[in-house]
Amino acid sequence: MTDFEQFVPEHIRKLAEAGNSKPLNQGGKIVSKGGSSEDPVALNLNENPFGPSPRALEVLHAAIGQTHRYPEIQATDLHEELAAFHGVRREQVLVTAGATELLCMIARALLGPGLNAVTSAKSFIVYKLATQVTEGKLIEVPTRENGYDPEAIARAIDANTRIVFIANPNNPTGTMLAADEVDDFVDGLPDHVLVVLDEAYGDFAEAFARKRRAAYSHAFDYIRADKNVILLKTFSKAHGLAGLRIGYGIGPARLVSLFAPLRVIFSVSSVGQAAALAALRDAEHIRRAVENNTEQAEALSAGLQEVAFPVAQTWTNFLYCDVGQDAADFAERLRERGAIVQPLGLWGAPNAIRVSIGTPEQNRLLLHALSNLSATHREDR
Ligand SMILES: Cc1ncc(COP(=O)(O)O)c(C=O)c1O
């Protein structure tokens, strides 16, 4: 039989050998101390703690009855609605199966042998995943106070750089670059580099920025000025549609049209399109999620600090927390006590966890699990 390995490029073969990582959704049942079975509270993936937009749920019932039909291939209505919503032209919008699909498309379009993308260490894991299926390489620049260091990133750019990925706010550290810092960075970029400005958590950052009198984002100014910038947004966070996989990019039409052909045909499902159209204008649901988040960020940070873990100031819907011990082991013991958090070893922070900010009740469950864990810890000593 033909050995197909020989037809597959080496960088893909290496990935195949490494195999799949373990599933992200670690849900499922746990056995509580009393021996009964209950679901742990999942605070590991920065999802909307109030669930999907109710307006999306309403239209989903009808949309599900039509799932024998193919989706509208160009997602025309959704493109038009998004363009109207953001005050841009339809050609400046590109809807994809989550922002993740668009990240992969951009990497495939622009990277190749000898070329590179630059980002920060301790940033969104998909930048690495999207790059590693190309023959380009990802340069991860050391952080500044646990966040992006724009000057160091600018210094890392060379003639072979094609992309800079900036998560603002950053996942998993929760830091934000102020609008003027991003202005300076974008202004100083050479012409051969595209900035992917990932504002997946923009709704939360805007609310914090208002409260703290900071300036968050001038992304639309860059697009109006025809800079080499693609802004990324998603329905996975404030809108609560992570499972339906809808994200989008906004940028100069000349760039958007270059990436569009790389979208997987029919990747944006009919139910996803219907739900996103309804969720886009569900201001009430977004307001509820954002207000809860701004309030609970403080309450949860204070609670964590009481258990003696330093927490960094957040600009988004999760907290970055140093637990001063092996975080994977810590997360496992916390899970046994009813709360799932994300250990950050994969991100190069083996003693840190990321905790999504939940409803008051979810946060209470987390803090309860945590005090239970530290009590056992004390008993053990
Ligand atoms: C920085 C950042 N960008 C993008 C996304 C993913 O968005 P999507 O669910 O639309 O693929 C996430 C999800 O966690 C994220 O943290």
Side-chain angles (χ1 to χ4, degrees), residues 5-16:
E5 260 189 43
Q6 64 187 307
F7 304 137
V8 176
E10 197 192 338
H11 68 287
I12 303 291
R13 282 206 307 266
K14 277 195 187 142
L15 293 173

Side-chain angles (χ1 to χ4, degrees), residues 130-166:
T131 308
Q132 71 187 11
V133 292
T134 75
E135 285 185 86
K137 96 174 179 214
L138 184 68
I139 299 172
E140 292 175 280
V141 174
T143 53
R144 178 191 71 186
E145 292 165 12
N146 253 338
Y148 273 69
D149 180 343
E151 280 110 43
I153 289 183
R155 284 195 298 276
I157 291 171
D158 62 25
N160 296 321
T161 303
R162 291 292 175 272
I163 305 171
V164 174
F165 294 112
I166 298 185

Side-chain angles (χ1 to χ4, degrees), residues 98-100 103 124 127 167 169 171 198 200-201 234 236-237 245-247:
T100 295
L103 285 164
F124 185 37
Y127 305 153
N171 174 13
D198 182 346
Y201 301 97
T234 180
S236 298
K237 306 297 171 186
R245 313 304 306 124
I246 303 271

Side-chain angles (χ1 to χ4, degrees), residues 260-275:
L262 284 161
R263 181 173 50 193
V264 169
I265 297 154
F266 291 123
S267 69
V268 182
S269 71
S270 52
V271 279
Q273 291 181 40

